Amino acid sequence: MMAKFVYFFGNGKADGRADMKNLLGGKGANLAEMTSIGLPVPPGFTITTEVCTEFYNNDKNYPAGLREEVAANLKEVEQLMGRTFGDAKNPLLVSVRSGARASMPGMMDTVLNLGLNDTTVQGIIAQSGDERFAYDAYRRFVQMYSDVVMGMDKEALEHLLEQKKEEKGVHLDTELTAADWKDLVAAFKAKIREVLEQDFPEDPQEQLWGAIGAVFGSWMNQRAITYRKLNNIPAEWGTAVNVQSMVFGNMGDDCATGVAFTRDPSTGDNYFYGEYLVNAQGEDVVAGIRTPQPINLHQKKDGDLPAMEEVLPECYQQLAGIRQILEKHYKDMQDIEFTIEKGKLYMLQTRNGKRTACAAIKVAVDMVKEGLIDEKAAILRVQPSQLDQLLHPSLDPKAAKKVIAKGLPASPGAASGTAVFTADEAELLARNGQKVILVRVETSPEDIHGMHAAQGILTARGGMTSHAAVVARGMGKCCVAGCGDLKVDYSSQSFTARHGVVIKKGDLITLDGSTGEVIQGAVATVPPQLTGDFATLMSWVDKHRRLKVRTNADTPNDSRVAREFGAEGIGLCRTEHMFFEADRIMAVREMILAEDLEGRQKALAKILPMQKGDFVGIFREMKGLPVTIRLLDPPLHEFLPSEEKDIETLANTLNVTTQQLKHKVEFLHEFNPMLGHRGCRLGLTYPEIYDMQVQAIMEAACELVKNEGFSIVPEIMIPLIATVSELTVLRANAVAICEEVMASYGVKLEYLIGTMIELPRAALTADEIATEAEFFSFGTNDLTQTTFGLSRDDAGKFLPFYVETNLLPEDPFVSLDQNGVGKLVKMACELGRSTRPGIKLGICGEHGGDPASVIFCHNVGLDYVSCSPFRVPIARLAAAHAVLASA
């Protein structure tokens, strides 16, 4: 049996159904469905997505039998319409439109009024009795076909149209006469011949196959490719092509065309929302040539033109009825297109409407209340990634903006402020009430205070998990990273952007962390709205998920914010961030520069009460919830200055010579610090550092247990373990300190000692490591680096190329590489449980807030994920999706 490539719809009968989107595309499947449920749909047929696949697999040739199937289906349309395609006296005109299984509005090509030529236009005049309409339709077809199919520069024909309007002294297309349009058709064809050196095709069959080929071809145009990448739509899905009999909204004042949503796509409010134009075709509504009118009185504002409800009341009431039918049938908000020809309403499209996060939540919650869907469907209706829009301020979409550069959208939200180029300057100005954007070539842990003070962070280098990106997300700060358009000059305190635009210290700029745009000047923002509907949805989410969600937090404030977002504990507290605070960095430097154990212990004694205070604050905020604290991880050189003048200043402060300090900085410098003297290696060579930290943790816990009746189970995490022998030594040291502190306080409490799995060897020998570790936390940022052999800060130079050319499906630092790094995680889980069946397993790398990675963590049986505070709701929702999608 031969494959079926063409599916017919019309007169209440259809070959396809709504659930055939993979084969017929969203448009084709829904045209078939609307036909089957009795809605007024102009008849037509859909060429399947399988033909698109064959088209590209077979050097842009069609499969055998397709032309015959198209001819047979076209004949059925002709019989229903009582018109013949290409007939001189009674011609049928068709539209040719794309239709992928996922909505890609505006990304692919469309041709309307196909079938017109110098002969058939006379038949249209005879049918309609309106010469002006016929030539208007003809010129539209020539413009569209020459652009979409022939590759003509559309501006050349648009210029001729503008010349004609100027010559006639009119402003609107609707003011041109039949003779004007007839002249323009001839002028357009002459221009096409002049520019392309070929004639505009007169044969309707040639026109039809030219348009079908162009729509299939548009699946691989640059804007469609870009859209697919941004929305994770696979190229192999392909598009369908829909050929449909034309109905005309531009035959007079009893005709119209419009687009509507069954609910407000911005807010989710339950009212009919849309725009229409009288005497127009579909592209007029979206092209902005004429001002659209509201479809109903509810939308109408002072100064608006009459609503469709007033101008075409019967058609409006019919459309409002169809709105109800579609919502009940599809059980979701619909985006519809319609045309009214001579007072008769036709439906041209319905699809699930794109909406803001706020609208998505409101629609989902309202539809549960209305009995259209259940809680599970409501949860699945909201995509975890959408919540980013809710949790950060965003730019006002109505505001004008001048984009001067574009980088990676590293941390969502929007922020405006004056450009500053040092962390100290950012802190100083912020302290005086000024809003600033910190601009750096790249940030380091030493910039933490400036990052905290700034409204947003902009870096010329670094990727999505660079220091700037990771810290900014943790803080809920807007960040644009890896902005190659920038040339930062610290000496002049300025940067140069696209087209030579220079931004100096003190100049206003705006960052859009959701798009990666850098904008000159200030742009208004819209604050996040965490409504009652959000809380309702998240209460349903928490009923259905299994995976716990913790946060990565280093301060009491971060801990409080995360708890408000629903965090169930801390999965990663980075203690090194505390070392950089201004009141303790000097003591840390004293400790590093000390020549002997006694000197180091003296300096550490100054740091101990400060660290203990940090832990008291964090334990208080997380009362009753688990807290995992990672002991010092970065190499010591990161705590020392590198600039000449900073070295001189520090030398004077510490009463050592500049030469001595330089020598120490050079001695500690490492060529590859990520693989150098850091993590547990520091704890083994300088055990007094880890001893101080463990003492501070346990003293804080014991104090709260003894004095305030807290119930605390501190989880002490030792980083960068590669061998069980390392953990054996460090665990013994930590246990000794824990027991000593508890004895001194007269308190007995439970504590856990575990490790971070961030090296392939640790994953491969997890059964051995589990003999000493009571929990594993997967540090997937470093595990990705060490598995791929990539530096996440340098990989931004070439990883985008890998993603663009499909060498990698996506950036492995953004979404967990499940085939490689994921296998190590899965193996380590299985090996760890084989030795210690009750071992606690979690993830604390940035992947803990990525929806796809969260679903993977659920599937491999982790107990929790941990992510930055502002991604906690995203992880909660993704964890619920993981349960419901597999149910």
Side-chain angles (χ1 to χ4, degrees), residues 608 631 686-696 733-734 737:
L608 173 66
L631 302 182
Y686 300 110
E688 56 275 10
I689 298 175
Y690 276 14
D691 288 352
M692 179 278 292
Q693 290 194 294
V694 173
Q695 183 179 343
N733 291 353
I737 298 290

Side-chain angles (χ1 to χ4, degrees), residues 292-400:
Q293 298 162 234
I295 61 168
N296 56 35
L297 294 169
H298 180 89
Q299 279 177 261
K300 192 177 172 187
K301 299 180 181 70
D302 290 343
D304 280 352
L305 292 166
M308 180 178 160
E309 191 174 0
E310 299 168 287
V311 176
L312 297 161
E314 289 182 15
C315 289
Y316 174 77
Q317 290 306 323
Q318 186 185 358
L319 188 64
I322 288 172
R323 170 209 181 197
Q324 300 294 342
I325 291 167
L326 287 173
E327 276 216 344
K328 283 179 182 168
H329 186 78
Y330 285 97
K331 301 183 187 306
D332 200 356
M333 182 191 95
Q334 295 298 290
D335 168 3
I336 61 178
E337 291 178 19
F338 62 91
T339 286
I340 296 164
E341 181 186 293
K342 296 292 181 186
K344 185 173 181 183
L345 175 70
Y346 292 94
M347 298 301 297
L348 303 183
Q349 173 169 284
T350 192
R351 60 188 174 192
N352 292 339
K354 293 192 177 298
R355 63 208 81 173
T356 64
C358 179
I361 290 169
K362 179 163 181 56
V363 170
V365 171
D366 283 354
M367 285 191 167
V368 172
K369 292 175 185 172
E370 293 161 23
L372 284 174
I373 59 175
D374 61 17
E375 289 179 8
K376 293 178 183 178
I379 292 167
L380 292 171
R381 194 65 61 77
V382 181
Q383 291 307 305
S385 56
Q386 285 182 291
L387 296 187
D388 255 349
Q389 295 175 29
L390 283 183
L391 303 174
H392 300 267
S394 57
L395 293 182
D396 184 346
K398 297 171 187 170

Side-chain angles (χ1 to χ4, degrees), residues 606-862:
K606 296 178 184 177
I607 303 169
L608 173 66
M610 301 174 189
Q611 283 243 291
K612 175 181 164 183
D614 293 328
F615 298 135
V616 166
I618 289 169
F619 284 144
R620 273 209 181 99
E621 292 297 340
M622 284 289 159
K623 185 174 183 178
L625 297 176
V627 176
T628 302
I629 299 167
R630 183 180 71 187
L631 302 182
L632 190 66
D633 187 39
L636 295 177
H637 81 270
E638 287 196 7
F639 298 95
L640 294 176
S642 55
E643 302 285 333
E644 181 82 27
K645 70 177 179 59
D646 294 335
I647 290 173
E648 288 176 11
T649 302
L650 180 60
N652 291 334
T653 304
L654 295 177
N655 202 25
V656 297
T657 68
T658 302
Q659 201 55 43
Q660 282 176 303
L661 186 52
K662 275 187 182 174
H663 177 73
K664 190 71 173 183
V665 170
E666 286 166 14
F667 174 75
L668 290 173
H669 174 75
E670 296 181 320
F671 288 105
N672 192 346
M674 192 207 49
L675 302 179
H677 192 189
R678 55 168 280 222
C680 68
R681 300 157 194 173
L682 269 178
L684 287 163
T685 49
Y686 300 110
E688 56 275 10
I689 298 175
Y690 276 14
D691 288 352
M692 179 278 292
Q693 290 194 294
V694 173
Q695 183 179 343
I697 293 165
M698 292 303 290
E699 284 189 5
C702 288
E703 205 165 276
L704 289 170
V705 170
K706 185 171 184 176
N707 299 339
E708 299 181 33
F710 272 47
S711 175
I712 299 174
V713 181
E715 299 179 0
I716 299 166
M717 182 157 69
I718 298 168
L720 212 70
I721 290 293
T723 70
V724 69
S725 57
E726 292 170 317
L727 187 55
T728 301
V729 172
L730 291 172
R731 177 186 172 82
N733 291 353
V735 168
I737 298 290
C738 289
E739 296 300 322
E740 188 181 307
V741 171
M742 288 191 295
S744 69
Y745 274 84
V747 168
K748 195 73 179 167
L749 57 86
E750 186 185 351
Y751 60 90
L752 301 178
I753 295 174
T755 190
M756 208 170 192
I757 302 289
E758 50 196 321
L759 298 175
R761 192 183 192 283
L764 293 167
T765 60
D767 50 343
E768 296 175 14
I769 291 172
T771 61
E772 296 286 349
E774 291 162 301
F775 66 86
F776 288 164
S777 182
F778 291 93
T780 51
N781 295 352
D782 275 357
L783 189 56
T784 297
Q785 291 193 94
T786 52
T787 302
F788 272 94
L790 288 173
S791 160
R792 69 182 180 194
D793 287 325
D794 295 323
K797 295 170 186 169
F798 59 86
L799 267 184
F801 169 79
Y802 270 59
V803 176
E804 284 163 17
T805 55
N806 294 317
L807 290 167
L808 285 172
E810 48 198 319
D811 186 332
F813 293 113
V814 175
S815 193
L816 186 71
D817 163 46
Q818 296 182 20
N819 287 338
V821 179
K823 279 184 183 171
L824 286 173
V825 171
K826 187 170 186 287
M827 181 190 303
C829 290
E830 291 166 354
L831 289 171
R833 284 193 172 122
S834 71
T835 303
R836 190 184 293 266
I839 192 168
K840 189 183 285 189
L841 302 171
I843 180 177
C844 62
E846 277 298 296
H847 297 109
D850 169 62
S853 305
V854 171
I855 291 169
F856 169 82
C857 291
H858 166 88
N859 291 338
V860 298
L862 295 192

Side-chain angles (χ1 to χ4, degrees), residues 193-210:
R193 191 180 307 114
E194 175 194 326
V195 174
L196 301 181
E197 298 181 347
Q198 60 176 299
D199 288 327
F200 187 86
E202 292 283 312
D203 178 5
Q205 285 293 335
E206 183 185 343
Q207 294 172 359
L208 176 62
W209 284 99

